[in-house]
Amino acid sequence: MRELRIRTLAGIFALALVLSWAGARMWDALGTLPAVPVAAPIVLAVIATVLTATALSIRARLRAQRERRPGAKGVEPMMAARAVVLGQASALVAALAAGAYGGAGLYLLLGAMDVPARRDQAVYAGLSVLAGAAVVAAAVFLQRVCRIPEDDEEPPPPAAAAA
């Protein structure tokens, strides 16, 4: 399984931010700017909490297994792989959502802060971006916890040809 790179997530975030900002400009010109749901930052924060709890649980179980504690419950490789896939999928979706809410929030910050309802929407969008960043951070942490350690030994050098 390939490791998800921060650069990829940052690119998704930036692309979604630009497209969302342009879309918000267009929708506002038509008179109908979609609202940022109040539940968006809450849902993203719950996902970040679940990913962090999963990472901490797996890390503790791996540490107990590595230290050979009596009664230590190991981590099944398939369970760790599923956790990593969940984390990677969550990070991709959170980067996209944070970019979308960030673009809408940026548009609201730059031009529509005089209306109280839009000011609230900008706050919800900002909180959604922060919660999305928390999901990405938790997913990267989970991915690092489940990484298979590299071999410390270097392969032996090839034998020199006897001449």
Side-chain angles (χ1 to χ4, degrees), residues 38-72:
V38 178
I42 296 168
V43 169
L44 288 170
V46 167
I47 293 169
T49 304
V50 167
L51 290 176
T52 302
T54 303
L56 292 174
S57 172
I58 290 174
R59 185 176 72 170
R61 289 170 64 183
L62 286 172
R63 183 176 292 146
Q65 184 179 9
R66 196 172 38 246
E67 294 172 357
R68 299 176 194 244
R69 294 183 192 157

Side-chain angles (χ1 to χ4, degrees), residues 20-147:
S20 176
W21 176 76
R25 284 187 61 186
M26 181 186 70
W27 271 319
D28 196 37
L30 296 174
T32 59
L33 184 62
V36 177
V38 178
I42 296 168
V43 169
L44 288 170
V46 167
I47 293 169
T49 304
V50 167
L51 290 176
T52 302
T54 303
L56 292 174
S57 172
I58 290 174
R59 185 176 72 170
R61 289 170 64 183
L62 286 172
R63 183 176 292 146
Q65 184 179 9
R66 196 172 38 246
E67 294 172 357
R68 299 176 194 244
R69 294 183 192 157
K73 187 175 180 184
V75 177
E76 294 181 24
M78 195 59 151
M79 197 247 334
R82 286 180 183 142
V84 170
V85 169
L86 173 66
Q88 288 181 347
S90 298
L92 289 169
V93 171
L96 184 64
Y101 291 131
L106 182 64
Y107 175 76
L108 291 169
L109 281 174
L110 294 177
M113 291 302 287
D114 53 339
V115 179
R118 290 204 170 184
R119 198 173 20 242
D120 291 344
Q121 293 295 306
V123 169
Y124 300 149
L127 290 174
S128 296
V129 171
L130 291 176
V135 170
V136 169
V140 169
F141 176 57
L142 176 61
Q143 181 174 268
R144 296 208 194 279
V145 165
C146 293
R147 184 184 310 161

